[in-house]
Amino acid sequence: MGTPAYGTIMSYKPRGFSQVMFSFGGQDATRTPARKASDANLVATQQLVDGLKEKWTNAPEIIVARDMQDGQIPQSVRDYDQTLKSQGATGEARGFIYQGKVYLLADQLNGPHQIAEVLFHEVLGHYGLRRAFGKGLTPILQQVATMRRKEMLAKAKEYGLDLTNERDRLTAAEEILAEMA
């Protein structure tokens, strides 16, 4: 039989078994250790999310992406992330909600505890508040912005927000309220 050509994918699926037992070659042979770790983290994050949301009713769509550059992330979100960074935002997003969908960024999540923490923050905090209060959330956020000035300033610095801008002020207030939820 000889040695297979470079890039050939070899696999073994015994008769009577439903799954391939092993494979080698192809893209896997050329992936870097960092990429393999990222792939493993992506799979582990998706499995944990699936397990946690399994019995939820009325759960939002939850998308597990590798990082902010993943093709599943809408371009407008990537652009907004770059705008915030240019305004002084620190760190990397671990999760966010956009157009009713929750996104988790697997490469920014360190272990099951943090995955669950970010998932619950996005689903119970942001998504839950928006579903529970609808347009009535805005006056609540305005009150949070007024009553929690010190926390608002800290969020503005962390996220690169301008508290003189109404949208940014409500964003900071929602983050504070979501952390409390």
Side-chain angles (χ1 to χ4, degrees):
M1 180 167 154
T3 305
Y6 177 77
T8 301
I9 298 173
M10 301 291 295
S11 63
Y12 174 67
K13 179 181 167 283
R15 205 171 288 174
F17 284 78
S18 62
Q19 294 182 336
V20 171
M21 300 304 285
F22 69 87
S23 66
F24 64 92
Q27 291 181 349
D28 191 59
T30 60
R31 289 186 308 158
T32 65
R35 180 59 182 230
K36 288 178 185 179
S38 176
D39 289 348
N41 197 31
L42 185 68
V43 169
T45 301
Q46 185 66 61
Q47 288 175 337
L48 182 59
V49 167
D50 290 345
L52 289 170
K53 73 173 190 168
E54 184 177 21
K55 297 192 190 263
W56 291 357
T57 57
N58 300 322
E61 182 178 349
I62 301 169
I63 297 168
V64 177
R66 185 178 312 281
D67 55 29
M68 195 59 84
Q69 301 313 311
D70 191 301
Q72 296 183 88
I73 305 299
Q75 186 62 49
S76 58
V77 172
R78 289 188 235 167
D79 294 343
Y80 182 63
D81 182 57
Q82 287 303 312
T83 298
L84 292 177
K85 287 178 180 175
S86 73
Q87 295 171 352
T90 59
E92 294 293 327
R94 296 180 296 169
F96 59 91
I97 187 168
Y98 179 72
Q99 294 185 343
K101 297 177 185 178
V102 171
Y103 292 81
L104 297 182
L105 304 177
D107 283 356
Q108 300 303 319
L109 301 170
N110 299 313
H113 179 76
Q114 193 173 61
I115 293 166
E117 177 185 314
V118 172
L119 175 65
F120 293 147
H121 172 83
E122 298 301 332
V123 173
L124 300 175
H126 296 290
Y127 181 79
L129 287 169
R130 292 176 187 183
R131 292 277 304 218
F133 294 101
K135 292 184 182 194
L137 183 59
T138 300
I140 295 168
L141 296 177
Q142 290 168 335
Q143 186 176 18
V144 168
T146 301
M147 303 302 290
R148 297 190 173 261
R149 190 74 183 144
K150 183 177 177 182
E151 291 160 278
M152 290 289 292
L153 292 171
K155 281 293 170 207
K157 183 176 181 182
E158 179 183 357
Y159 285 78
L161 301 172
D162 175 5
L163 294 181
T164 62
N165 175 294
E166 179 74 9
R167 177 180 168 199
D168 284 1
R169 192 169 47 258
L170 295 177
T171 297
E174 186 174 326
E175 280 301 322
I176 293 166
L177 195 56
E179 287 175 1
M180 296 166 65

